[in-house]
């Protein structure tokens, strides 16, 4: 394994083990996780692999095949910079929570397509979390490891994300999507056998990342919290009478609430269709989700909108942006025989606008984090 060779070269000797954690796409349930709502992501075949060896002191040495720089040698965790903060944050949280974690040598290798919005950062956090859990025999439940990874991103890196990406990376099962109730943290694997229905899910990676993404993410989260406060509920999950709630809200808070409440219903509806074997029918929900994210939650962008419109024009049964928004990827549900036409339509739409061609590849639902060696 490449990551083991790199470990030997950089640190000398052998790693104690090698762990893999995948990235994710989200089928539906967008911007619902931090509103105590429902999500339905699945793990992708790309992710982060970590070769790790524990140390007898508290020093953490972090290196990555994707970083063109010397290993970062951290005497203190807060010395981590750039990509290494996502890995270091996991050490920080575990120590902060009193878990018996000492130092480690960590070599990272990743193959999540860059800028695709497929949660390479969550994969990195989770790879380190499962490695430390194993190496130190912590025996933390999987969802706990997801929470630790999320907290690393919230409190150490400073990005106020929900728990979806980390949970998908830890808990996903091959051939299944992961239904997660972000309030109770109860989860269920939902069979997702698209091929049996002659369908494919294409990932359309726009390759763009608009700079405002992080700031806007925090603002949306704030809008949702303000709306919940106005309505006197703990979170937007608790809105049961949408029409009555909308009458009491104005402006952005009104729009955000409309999205979150209807998106939760769409997750439940989509699961109902999957359970009924009506996979063909989920396309309409994907489109409705996209329009709601575009018009009510206002996190889409021209590149995502054009990808979705062109995919549908090319014959996709449905399409939507996936992930946080402002760039990254869209997904399109297509009948196998229409995949080429959809692809051509999207490429043509980008070319017409003089935009760099997006990369388009079929997604399959992969397994969650695991020890490789
Ligand atoms: C990002 C965050 C997730 C989630 C999505 C939007 O991926 O990391 O927690 O909020 O955006 O659904």
């Amino acid at each position: 394994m490449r990551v083991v060779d790199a470990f030997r070269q950089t640190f000398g000797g052998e790693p104690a083990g090698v762990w893999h954690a995948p990235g994710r796409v989200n089928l539906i349930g967008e911007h619902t996780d931090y509103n105590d709502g429902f999500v339905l992501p699945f793990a992708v075949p790309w992710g982060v692999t970590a070769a790790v060896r524990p140390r007898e002191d508290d020093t953490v040495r972090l290196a990555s095949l994707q970083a063109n720089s010397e290993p970062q040698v951290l005497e203190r965790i807060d010395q981590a910079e750039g990509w290494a903060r996502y890995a270091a944050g996991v050490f920080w949280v575990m120590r902060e929570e009193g878990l018996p974690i000492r130092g480690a040598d960590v070599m990272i290798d990743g193959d999540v397509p860059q800028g695709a919005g497929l949660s390479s950062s969550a994969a990195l956090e989770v790879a380190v979390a499962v490695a430390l859990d194993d190496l130190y025999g912590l025996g933390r439940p999987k969802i706990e490891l997801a929470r630790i990874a999320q907290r690393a991103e919230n409190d150490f890196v400073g990005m106020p994300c929900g728990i979806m990406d980390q949970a998908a990376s830890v808990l996903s099962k091959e051939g299944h999507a992961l239904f997660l109730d972000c309030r109770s943290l109860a989860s269920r694997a939902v069979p997702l056998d698209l091929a049996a229905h002659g369908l494919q899910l294409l990932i359309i990676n726009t390759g763009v990342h608009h700079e405002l993404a992080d700031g806007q993410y925090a603002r949306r989260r704030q809008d949702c919290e303000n709306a919940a406060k106005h309505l006197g509920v703990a979170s937007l999950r608790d809105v049961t009478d949408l029409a009555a709630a909308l009458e009491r809200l104005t402006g952005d808070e009104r729009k955000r609430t409309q999205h979150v409440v209807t998106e939760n219903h769409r997750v439940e509806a989509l699961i109902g269709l999957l359970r009924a074997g009506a996979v063909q029918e989920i396309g309409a929900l994907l489109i409705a989700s996209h329009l709601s994210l575009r018009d009510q939650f206002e996190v889409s962008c021209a590149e995502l909108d054009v990808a979705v419109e062109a995919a549908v024009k090319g014959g996709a049964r449905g399409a939507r942006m996936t992930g946080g928004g402002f760039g990254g990827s869209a997904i399109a549900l297509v009948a196998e025989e229409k995949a080429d036409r959809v692809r051509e339509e999207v490429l043509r739409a980008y070319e017409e606008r003089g935009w760099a061609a997006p990369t388009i590849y079929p997604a399959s639902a992969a397994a969650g984090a695991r020890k490789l060696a």
Side-chain angles (χ1 to χ4, degrees), residues 24 26 29-34 119 159 161-165 217 323-324:
R24 63 95 189 95
N26 188 16
E30 215 67 84
H31 289 277
T32 46
D33 60 353
Y34 53 81
S119 294
M159 153 68 181
C161 64
I163 198 169
M164 170 171 72
D165 306 344
Y217 186 92

Side-chain angles (χ1 to χ4, degrees), residues 24-367:
R24 63 95 189 95
V25 296
N26 188 16
L27 191 54
I28 202 158
E30 215 67 84
H31 289 277
T32 46
D33 60 353
Y34 53 81
N35 289 298
D36 281 350
F38 304 128
V39 294
L40 192 64
F42 61 87
V44 289
W46 312 285
V48 167
T49 304
V52 186
R53 178 176 60 201
R55 295 172 58 94
E56 314 242 293
D57 58 15
D58 290 324
T59 301
V60 175
R61 295 196 289 176
L62 298 169
S64 161
L65 278 161
Q66 281 69 48
N68 296 320
S69 55
E70 293 294 301
Q72 297 191 29
V73 179
L74 314 175
E75 304 294 341
R76 287 192 341 263
I77 289 297
D78 61 8
Q79 293 166 326
E81 284 172 9
W83 69 272
R85 291 172 305 145
Y86 297 90
V90 174
F91 285 84
W92 182 83
V93 172
M94 286 187 168
R95 286 178 182 168
E96 231 263 331
E97 297 189 0
L99 296 172
I101 296 299
R102 307 230 43 197
D105 295 331
V106 181
M107 174 58 71
I108 296 293
D109 191 8
D111 64 355
V112 182
Q114 280 310 301
L118 301 181
S119 294
S120 52
S121 49
L124 174 52
E125 293 150 8
V126 167
V128 173
V130 293
L132 293 178
D133 182 69
D134 258 6
L135 286 171
Y136 286 95
L138 303 177
R140 310 303 294 166
K142 287 185 169 188
I143 189 69
E144 252 301 280
L145 295 176
R147 188 200 54 77
I148 287 170
Q150 179 204 8
R151 196 178 157 212
E153 188 148 342
N154 291 167
D155 295 352
F156 189 78
V157 177
M159 153 68 181
C161 64
I163 198 169
M164 170 171 72
D165 306 344
Q166 292 80 5
S169 183
V170 183
L171 292 166
S172 288
K173 300 239 178 323
E174 192 177 352
H176 293 73
L178 178 81
F179 173 59
L180 178 70
D181 177 335
C182 298
R183 169 167 277 168
S184 69
L185 297 182
S187 66
R188 185 155 43 87
V190 179
L192 186 69
D193 190 357
L194 299 174
H197 297 266
L199 294 166
Q200 270 187 9
L201 200 79
L202 295 179
I203 297 178
I204 305 166
N205 176 4
T206 67
V208 300
H209 174 77
H210 293 293
E211 275 314 315
L212 38 74
D214 286 1
Q216 290 293 327
Y217 186 92
R219 277 184 56 182
R220 293 300 177 281
R221 203 176 162 150
Q222 193 60 54
D223 290 345
C224 292
E225 281 163 20
N226 293 344
K229 201 177 291 167
H230 258 136
L231 295 169
V233 291
S235 73
L236 292 182
R237 160 72 175 273
D238 300 312
V239 174
T240 46
D241 186 340
L242 177 60
L246 294 182
E247 268 180 27
R248 295 172 56 193
L249 297 170
T250 55
D252 287 348
E253 288 176 25
R254 190 171 196 276
K255 289 193 201 171
R256 311 309 181 228
T257 302
Q258 163 110 36
H259 167 73
V260 171
V261 176
T262 57
E263 185 78 351
N264 278 331
H265 287 306
R266 281 186 287 272
V267 176
E268 292 186 293
L270 197 148
I271 286 176
L273 291 174
L274 288 182
R275 199 179 296 137
V279 185
Q280 303 279 355
E281 308 300 321
I282 70 174
L285 291 169
L286 301 182
I287 294 173
S289 171
H290 184 78
L291 297 180
S292 179
L293 287 158
R294 186 190 73 184
D295 301 335
Q296 310 298 334
F297 217 71
E298 299 177 292
V299 289
S300 190
C301 60
E303 293 86 351
L304 287 166
D305 293 341
V306 166
V308 166
E309 278 156 31
V312 172
K313 192 169 160 215
R317 296 203 58 99
R320 59 181 290 274
M321 53 159 278
T322 186
F326 302 106
S329 295
I331 53 174
L333 182 75
V334 301
E336 262 154 26
E337 67 275 10
K338 293 215 173 125
D340 286 344
R341 251 198 61 210
V342 168
R343 213 182 283 261
E344 281 159 25
E345 199 65 54
V346 173
L347 291 174
R348 180 163 53 216
Y350 268 59
E351 202 182 321
E352 270 171 22
R353 287 165 179 81
W355 296 343
T359 41
I360 305 176
Y361 22 73
S364 57

